[in-house]
Each structure stands twice: as structure tokens, then as C-alpha cells.
Amino acid sequence: MQAVLGVIFHFLGGFASGSFYIPYKKVKGWAWESYWIVGGVFSWLIVPPLAAFLTIPHFTDIISNTAGSTLLLTYCFGVLWGIGGLTYGLGVRYLGVSLGSSIILGLCMVLGSILPSIYFDMFPKAAKDTFTMFLQTDWGRMVLLGLLVCVVGISICGKAGMMKEQEIKSAVTDTHGLEVKTEYKFGLGLLVGIVSGVLSACFNFGIEAGKPMADAANTIWKVANPSETGNFLFQNNVTYVVVLWGGLTTNFIWCMVLNARNKTFGDYSKASTPLLKNYIFSALAGTTWFLQFFFYGMGESKMGNGASSWILHMAFIILIANIWGLVLKEWKGVSRKTLYTVLTGILTIIASVLIVGYGNSIK
């Protein structure tokens, strides 16, 4: 039952992450950097401490009593994760949405789930679940199988994206007799995608680095609720506060640079735009974005394994993003072969989620 609840919570987190950008489409007359940082203030500065305040008693005391080295390491991983998020856009620009997203999120999923467990092999006191345990236990091998199946599903979705881009390019060329200009650069895009995938995985590293804070929250909860079993559902909410300070730092600096370069500082008070609606939709997008990690923490508390949780989280994001692509008719006009390819990829990812969930159920 715990594993089932974990899968449900991770699905809700994946749904939030795969859907958060939709409110941004309602923002009118603002440059990207303007609505991105307004939403980001809610994602990284306002909502995280509010969630911690509502779920963790004395969360500020936990942060103030945490070792400075732990806080610094958690914050630095947040900064690196923020850079990964910014380079994500370049990867999509040079590889296309489907292929770029598949490569970047795939790398993020693999590295974010495997590298911490390898680190824990070197420092076994840091966590219970090491990469050696994955290889030597039935549940661990099942989780790794789910990871492999998910990578296959991501590859299939990426293939469908390449097929779609080629078909659209051919259609435009046939209709207008003109060569379609594209920014597709596989070599450069792959390099940027690798950088983004590696740095985006740093969010999971930040969660692991901030485990002492989560453990402290868990201890406080168990003292107040001695009859309860299992882990505290909201234990990671205090860690998010510090990790997201790092993400805010990176994104704030870059958005301010873009505001200055593009002369868009006036967006925030631009009377010719629906200011109130822009702020509301940006805030809604930012809040929805944070909910992915709010539910991620709840799912991890039930799964009891950071690697499995990260795999499910990323798999559900990819799954929901591809489903939204179908709902919004982004695949309209492609051949049946291409449509069947992306559907096969989605079903493969669903299968990987079931495999990882089963692995945790037999743990």
C-alpha cells in the first residue's frame, strides 16, 4: 500500500511539472524573462517557506541549527540545478522539443538516480540505498530494469519527435517550394543537452545533501506522533527551501541580465498589458511548478528510496508532457507511423513506472 501511495504522489508531482507552463501561455505582452522570474519568485521564494511553515513545526529552527557545510552544499547544488534549467532551453532550441526534452530529461533521470547511489557506495553512512544494493537485491534489480525500460521509452519518444520534425519540414517545402531554415544542430545540441542533463540532476543531489534537515523534521514529527509508523510525509519541505534559494539565485541573475539587454524592465508596470492577469497567471504557474516537488517529497516518504522516487518523478513528467502534446494537437498532421511511434513511447514509459513501483513493493 505504501508503494501504491508513493506512485500516486509521484504522478501528481509529474502532472504538476508537466502542466505548469500552461498558465504562462495566458500571459500577454511580457517578455519571457519577465514572466519567468515573476513565476519563479513564487516557485523558489514565496511558496516553499509557506509550505514548510504549514507542514513542519519550527522549520526555521531546523535550518538555523543545521551545519553551515550542509547548508552551503545544498545551496550550491541548487545553483547548479538552476544553470541546468536555463541551458534546457538551448538544448530544445538546437535539438527540437521532443528530441531535446527526451535527451535532457533522460540524462537527468539516469544521472539523478544512479550517481547518488554510487556516491553512497563510497560513503555508506550517508544513506541506506547504495548502487551495490541495486545490483545485489531482487527489488534493486527490478528498479534498474524499470530505469532501462524508461530509457527505451524516452528514446522512442525522441525518435517520434525527429520523425515529426522531418515530416513538417518536408510538408512546408512541398507546399511552398522553399527551403525551411532550422536551428537544428545535433552536435552542439547534444553537448548542451548533456550539460543541462547533468546539472539538472543536481536537484536530487541537493535533496540528498540536505538530508540532515529532512531527518530533523522526521524526528520532530515522530516525537510528536509516537504512535505513527513510517516516515514524515512532508520531511523534504524544509530541504526545498534551501535548494530553491540556489535556483532563485541563478534564474534571478540571468533574468535581470535579459531585462537589461532587451530593455524589458518596463514589463512589470506596463499599462498596455493586462497586468493583474499577468501576475495572477505567472503566480499560478510558479505555484504549480513547486507542487511537483511538494508531491515528490510525499512520494519519497512512502517509497523509501531516493533513486526510485527520482525515476518515477522524471518518468511521469515525460509522460504528462507527451500526453499534453497529444491533447493540444501538437502531433496533428503527422503520419500514422509517427503517431504510433510516440504512443508506443508513452506506453513504454507507463510500463517502466509499473516496474519501478513493483520493485519498491517487494523491497
Side-chain angles (χ1 to χ4, degrees):
M1 185 61 186
Q2 296 299 310
V4 173
L5 286 175
V7 171
I8 292 174
F9 289 141
H10 283 306
F11 170 78
L12 293 174
F15 183 84
S17 180
S19 308
F20 86 94
Y21 207 85
I22 292 178
Y24 280 137
K25 295 181 180 295
K26 299 292 185 179
V27 176
K28 307 295 182 183
W30 280 8
W32 174 87
E33 58 269 19
S34 301
Y35 64 72
W36 182 258
I37 196 57
V38 171
V41 167
F42 282 85
S43 298
W44 309 312
L45 185 63
I46 297 177
V47 180
L50 177 60
F53 172 77
L54 293 175
T55 56
I56 301 177
H58 312 296
F59 83 95
T60 54
D61 292 337
I62 294 176
I63 295 177
S64 62
N65 292 327
T66 299
S69 58
T70 298
L71 293 176
L72 179 61
L73 186 60
T74 305
Y75 171 82
C76 287
F77 277 130
V79 170
L80 293 174
W81 163 76
I83 297 174
L86 291 173
T87 53
Y88 178 90
L90 285 176
V92 171
R93 175 182 177 182
Y94 293 129
L95 292 175
V97 175
S98 296
L99 181 60
S101 297
S102 297
I103 288 177
I104 294 170
L105 290 176
L107 285 168
C108 184
M109 181 189 67
V110 173
L111 295 172
S113 58
I114 297 300
L115 289 184
S117 62
I118 295 176
Y119 171 81
F120 298 146
D121 266 322
M122 301 169 59
F123 303 96
K125 292 183 180 180
K128 296 180 180 180
D129 297 326
T130 65
F131 189 68
T132 300
M133 291 178 64
F134 287 144
L135 296 175
Q136 295 179 346
T137 60
D138 290 338
W139 69 265
R141 287 190 289 267
M142 189 62 65
V143 168
L144 292 178
L145 175 62
L147 175 61
L148 178 61
V149 172
C150 191
V151 171
V152 172
I154 291 170
S155 300
I156 295 173
C157 288
K159 175 63 176 177
M162 296 177 67
M163 293 167 64
K164 173 189 173 183
E165 290 170 0
Q166 187 60 43
E167 288 176 6
I168 292 176
K169 177 179 178 180
S170 299
V172 174
T173 302
D174 292 343
T175 302
H176 302 287
L178 299 173
E179 180 182 357
V180 178
K181 294 183 179 180
T182 177
E183 291 186 288
Y184 183 82
K185 299 177 183 178
F186 184 77
L188 180 59
L190 182 61
L191 177 61
V192 173
I194 291 174
V195 172
S196 179
V198 171
L199 295 182
S200 294
C202 287
F203 196 98
N204 197 30
F205 302 164
I207 293 175
E208 297 298 340
K211 275 294 183 184
M213 288 181 282
D215 292 340
N218 201 25
T219 299
I220 292 174
W221 176 77
K222 287 184 175 180
V223 169
N225 302 274
S227 61
E228 297 290 339
T229 59
N231 293 324
F232 181 35
L233 203 59
F234 306 110
Q235 59 184 0
N236 280 338
N237 284 357
V238 64
T239 308
Y240 294 152
V241 174
V242 181
V243 175
L244 294 175
W245 282 342
L248 174 64
T249 301
T250 307
N251 283 268
F252 181 81
I253 292 174
W254 180 239
C255 286
M256 292 302 100
V257 169
L258 290 181
N259 275 147
R261 179 189 299 174
N262 300 328
K263 299 180 181 180
T264 53
F265 277 114
D267 285 351
Y268 306 111
S269 58
K270 197 173 181 180
S272 60
T273 64
L275 282 176
L276 181 59
K277 288 185 178 179
N278 284 357
Y279 278 108
I280 289 175
F281 282 121
S282 296
L284 178 60
T287 302
T288 303
W289 181 92
F290 172 76
L291 289 177
Q292 66 171 305
F293 291 115
F294 182 82
F295 286 111
Y296 174 86
M298 295 170 67
E300 189 185 36
S301 71
K302 295 299 182 183
M303 303 293 284
N305 177 22
S308 298
S309 289
W310 190 250
I311 293 169
L312 285 175
H313 180 68
M314 299 307 300
F316 276 128
I317 293 175
I318 298 168
L319 175 64
I320 297 300
N322 278 283
I323 290 177
W324 272 119
L326 294 174
V327 172
L328 297 175
K329 299 182 179 180
E330 292 182 354
W331 296 87
K332 183 179 180 180
V334 301
S335 66
R336 286 189 176 183
K337 181 179 179 181
T338 300
L339 186 59
Y340 290 154
T341 301
V342 71
L343 289 175
T344 300
I346 292 174
L347 291 175
T348 304
I349 293 174
I350 293 175
S352 75
V353 171
L354 296 176
I355 293 172
V356 173
Y358 175 70
N360 278 277
S361 70
I362 64 174
K363 182 181 177 181

PDB file of all heavy atoms in Angstrom, residues 311-327:
ATOM      1  N   ILE A 311      13.341   8.363 -10.432  1.00  0.00           N
ATOM      2  CA  ILE A 311      12.980   7.722 -11.699  1.00  0.00           C
ATOM      3  C   ILE A 311      11.495   7.925 -11.991  1.00  0.00           C
ATOM      4  O   ILE A 311      11.100   8.314 -13.098  1.00  0.00           O
ATOM      5  CB  ILE A 311      13.310   6.214 -11.656  1.00  0.00           C
ATOM      6  CG1 ILE A 311      14.827   6.001 -11.586  1.00  0.00           C
ATOM      7  CG2 ILE A 311      12.748   5.498 -12.890  1.00  0.00           C
ATOM      8  CD1 ILE A 311      15.221   4.569 -11.264  1.00  0.00           C
ATOM      9  N   LEU A 312      10.645   7.656 -10.992  1.00  0.00           N
ATOM     10  CA  LEU A 312       9.213   7.822 -11.186  1.00  0.00           C
ATOM     11  C   LEU A 312       8.857   9.278 -11.471  1.00  0.00           C
ATOM     12  O   LEU A 312       8.022   9.569 -12.344  1.00  0.00           O
ATOM     13  CB  LEU A 312       8.458   7.341  -9.935  1.00  0.00           C
ATOM     14  CG  LEU A 312       8.356   5.830  -9.741  1.00  0.00           C
ATOM     15  CD1 LEU A 312       7.702   5.528  -8.404  1.00  0.00           C
ATOM     16  CD2 LEU A 312       7.563   5.189 -10.868  1.00  0.00           C
ATOM     17  N   HIS A 313       9.490  10.190 -10.752  1.00  0.00           N
ATOM     18  CA  HIS A 313       9.217  11.614 -10.928  1.00  0.00           C
ATOM     19  C   HIS A 313       9.505  12.044 -12.365  1.00  0.00           C
ATOM     20  O   HIS A 313       8.657  12.649 -13.032  1.00  0.00           O
ATOM     21  CB  HIS A 313      10.069  12.418  -9.943  1.00  0.00           C
ATOM     22  CG  HIS A 313       9.874  13.899 -10.039  1.00  0.00           C
ATOM     23  ND1 HIS A 313       8.697  14.520  -9.681  1.00  0.00           N
ATOM     24  CD2 HIS A 313      10.708  14.892 -10.469  1.00  0.00           C
ATOM     25  CE1 HIS A 313       8.814  15.834  -9.866  1.00  0.00           C
ATOM     26  NE2 HIS A 313      10.023  16.072 -10.351  1.00  0.00           N
ATOM     27  N   MET A 314      10.688  11.730 -12.868  1.00  0.00           N
ATOM     28  CA  MET A 314      11.066  12.132 -14.218  1.00  0.00           C
ATOM     29  C   MET A 314      10.220  11.410 -15.264  1.00  0.00           C
ATOM     30  O   MET A 314       9.837  11.994 -16.286  1.00  0.00           O
ATOM     31  CB  MET A 314      12.550  11.851 -14.448  1.00  0.00           C
ATOM     32  CG  MET A 314      13.499  12.587 -13.511  1.00  0.00           C
ATOM     33  SD  MET A 314      13.230  14.369 -13.450  1.00  0.00           S
ATOM     34  CE  MET A 314      13.507  14.828 -15.142  1.00  0.00           C
ATOM     35  N   ALA A 315       9.928  10.134 -15.021  1.00  0.00           N
ATOM     36  CA  ALA A 315       9.121   9.370 -15.983  1.00  0.00           C
ATOM     37  C   ALA A 315       7.725   9.973 -16.113  1.00  0.00           C
ATOM     38  O   ALA A 315       7.194  10.104 -17.227  1.00  0.00           O
ATOM     39  CB  ALA A 315       9.027   7.912 -15.551  1.00  0.00           C
ATOM     40  N   PHE A 316       7.126  10.353 -14.992  1.00  0.00           N
ATOM     41  CA  PHE A 316       5.790  10.940 -15.049  1.00  0.00           C
ATOM     42  C   PHE A 316       5.810  12.313 -15.727  1.00  0.00           C
ATOM     43  O   PHE A 316       4.850  12.673 -16.429  1.00  0.00           O
ATOM     44  CB  PHE A 316       5.194  11.056 -13.643  1.00  0.00           C
ATOM     45  CG  PHE A 316       4.529   9.798 -13.167  1.00  0.00           C
ATOM     46  CD1 PHE A 316       4.849   9.243 -11.934  1.00  0.00           C
ATOM     47  CD2 PHE A 316       3.577   9.158 -13.950  1.00  0.00           C
ATOM     48  CE1 PHE A 316       4.233   8.073 -11.496  1.00  0.00           C
ATOM     49  CE2 PHE A 316       2.963   7.989 -13.519  1.00  0.00           C
ATOM     50  CZ  PHE A 316       3.293   7.449 -12.294  1.00  0.00           C
ATOM     51  N   ILE A 317       6.879  13.085 -15.530  1.00  0.00           N
ATOM     52  CA  ILE A 317       6.982  14.378 -16.213  1.00  0.00           C
ATOM     53  C   ILE A 317       6.991  14.178 -17.723  1.00  0.00           C
ATOM     54  O   ILE A 317       6.268  14.848 -18.474  1.00  0.00           O
ATOM     55  CB  ILE A 317       8.251  15.136 -15.773  1.00  0.00           C
ATOM     56  CG1 ILE A 317       8.158  15.551 -14.301  1.00  0.00           C
ATOM     57  CG2 ILE A 317       8.445  16.388 -16.641  1.00  0.00           C
ATOM     58  CD1 ILE A 317       9.417  16.199 -13.784  1.00  0.00           C
ATOM     59  N   ILE A 318       7.833  13.257 -18.186  1.00  0.00           N
ATOM     60  CA  ILE A 318       7.925  12.976 -19.617  1.00  0.00           C
ATOM     61  C   ILE A 318       6.589  12.467 -20.135  1.00  0.00           C
ATOM     62  O   ILE A 318       6.122  12.863 -21.213  1.00  0.00           O
ATOM     63  CB  ILE A 318       9.035  11.950 -19.882  1.00  0.00           C
ATOM     64  CG1 ILE A 318      10.391  12.514 -19.447  1.00  0.00           C
ATOM     65  CG2 ILE A 318       9.081  11.549 -21.358  1.00  0.00           C
ATOM     66  CD1 ILE A 318      11.503  11.487 -19.395  1.00  0.00           C
ATOM     67  N   LEU A 319       5.957  11.591 -19.360  1.00  0.00           N
ATOM     68  CA  LEU A 319       4.674  11.029 -19.767  1.00  0.00           C
ATOM     69  C   LEU A 319       3.608  12.117 -19.898  1.00  0.00           C
ATOM     70  O   LEU A 319       2.928  12.211 -20.928  1.00  0.00           O
ATOM     71  CB  LEU A 319       4.230   9.986 -18.737  1.00  0.00           C
ATOM     72  CG  LEU A 319       2.838   9.373 -18.931  1.00  0.00           C
ATOM     73  CD1 LEU A 319       2.790   8.580 -20.219  1.00  0.00           C
ATOM     74  CD2 LEU A 319       2.476   8.491 -17.737  1.00  0.00           C
ATOM     75  N   ILE A 320       3.465  12.961 -18.879  1.00  0.00           N
ATOM     76  CA  ILE A 320       2.445  14.005 -18.891  1.00  0.00           C
ATOM     77  C   ILE A 320       2.721  15.021 -19.993  1.00  0.00           C
ATOM     78  O   ILE A 320       1.796  15.480 -20.688  1.00  0.00           O
ATOM     79  CB  ILE A 320       2.371  14.717 -17.522  1.00  0.00           C
ATOM     80  CG1 ILE A 320       1.945  13.723 -16.431  1.00  0.00           C
ATOM     81  CG2 ILE A 320       1.403  15.894 -17.581  1.00  0.00           C
ATOM     82  CD1 ILE A 320       0.580  13.090 -16.659  1.00  0.00           C
ATOM     83  N   ALA A 321       4.003  15.378 -20.179  1.00  0.00           N
ATOM     84  CA  ALA A 321       4.351  16.344 -21.227  1.00  0.00           C
ATOM     85  C   ALA A 321       3.962  15.816 -22.604  1.00  0.00           C
ATOM     86  O   ALA A 321       3.436  16.558 -23.453  1.00  0.00           O
ATOM     87  CB  ALA A 321       5.844  16.655 -21.180  1.00  0.00           C
ATOM     88  N   ASN A 322       4.201  14.520 -22.851  1.00  0.00           N
ATOM     89  CA  ASN A 322       3.835  13.929 -24.136  1.00  0.00           C
ATOM     90  C   ASN A 322       2.320  13.832 -24.294  1.00  0.00           C
ATOM     91  O   ASN A 322       1.780  14.032 -25.394  1.00  0.00           O
ATOM     92  CB  ASN A 322       4.468  12.550 -24.292  1.00  0.00           C
ATOM     93  CG  ASN A 322       5.907  12.621 -24.763  1.00  0.00           C
ATOM     94  OD1 ASN A 322       6.176  12.851 -25.933  1.00  0.00           O
ATOM     95  ND2 ASN A 322       6.847  12.440 -23.854  1.00  0.00           N
ATOM     96  N   ILE A 323       1.607  13.533 -23.200  1.00  0.00           N
ATOM     97  CA  ILE A 323       0.143  13.476 -23.263  1.00  0.00           C
ATOM     98  C   ILE A 323      -0.434  14.860 -23.574  1.00  0.00           C
ATOM     99  O   ILE A 323      -1.353  15.004 -24.386  1.00  0.00           O
ATOM    100  CB  ILE A 323      -0.432  12.921 -21.955  1.00  0.00           C
ATOM    101  CG1 ILE A 323      -0.099  11.428 -21.821  1.00  0.00           C
ATOM    102  CG2 ILE A 323      -1.949  13.124 -21.901  1.00  0.00           C
ATOM    103  CD1 ILE A 323      -0.558  10.805 -20.523  1.00  0.00           C
ATOM    104  N   TRP A 324       0.125  15.904 -22.929  1.00  0.00           N
ATOM    105  CA  TRP A 324      -0.321  17.261 -23.231  1.00  0.00           C
ATOM    106  C   TRP A 324      -0.075  17.590 -24.701  1.00  0.00           C
ATOM    107  O   TRP A 324      -0.866  18.301 -25.338  1.00  0.00           O
ATOM    108  CB  TRP A 324       0.401  18.270 -22.348  1.00  0.00           C
ATOM    109  CG  TRP A 324      -0.272  18.531 -21.027  1.00  0.00           C
ATOM    110  CD1 TRP A 324       0.240  18.316 -19.784  1.00  0.00           C
ATOM    111  CD2 TRP A 324      -1.583  19.059 -20.816  1.00  0.00           C
ATOM    112  NE1 TRP A 324      -0.663  18.671 -18.810  1.00  0.00           N
ATOM    113  CE2 TRP A 324      -1.795  19.133 -19.415  1.00  0.00           C
ATOM    114  CE3 TRP A 324      -2.608  19.474 -21.671  1.00  0.00           C
ATOM    115  CZ2 TRP A 324      -2.980  19.606 -18.861  1.00  0.00           C
ATOM    116  CZ3 TRP A 324      -3.793  19.952 -21.119  1.00  0.00           C
ATOM    117  CH2 TRP A 324      -3.967  20.011 -19.730  1.00  0.00           C
ATOM    118  N   GLY A 325       1.033  17.082 -25.236  1.00  0.00           N
ATOM    119  CA  GLY A 325       1.317  17.294 -26.648  1.00  0.00           C
ATOM    120  C   GLY A 325       0.224  16.715 -27.535  1.00  0.00           C
ATOM    121  O   GLY A 325      -0.158  17.302 -28.547  1.00  0.00           O
ATOM    122  N   LEU A 326      -0.300  15.555 -27.133  1.00  0.00           N
ATOM    123  CA  LEU A 326      -1.390  14.940 -27.887  1.00  0.00           C
ATOM    124  C   LEU A 326      -2.683  15.728 -27.704  1.00  0.00           C
ATOM    125  O   LEU A 326      -3.422  15.976 -28.662  1.00  0.00           O
ATOM    126  CB  LEU A 326      -1.589  13.490 -27.433  1.00  0.00           C
ATOM    127  CG  LEU A 326      -0.443  12.511 -27.739  1.00  0.00           C
ATOM    128  CD1 LEU A 326      -0.728  11.159 -27.091  1.00  0.00           C
ATOM    129  CD2 LEU A 326      -0.257  12.347 -29.254  1.00  0.00           C
ATOM    130  N   VAL A 327      -2.978  16.116 -26.456  1.00  0.00           N
ATOM    131  CA  VAL A 327      -4.214  16.850 -26.170  1.00  0.00           C
ATOM    132  C   VAL A 327      -4.244  18.190 -26.898  1.00  0.00           C
ATOM    133  O   VAL A 327      -5.285  18.608 -27.439  1.00  0.00           O
ATOM    134  CB  VAL A 327      -4.365  17.072 -24.648  1.00  0.00           C
ATOM    135  CG1 VAL A 327      -5.538  18.010 -24.348  1.00  0.00           C
ATOM    136  CG2 VAL A 327      -4.564  15.742 -23.939  1.00  0.00           C
TER     137      VAL A 327
END
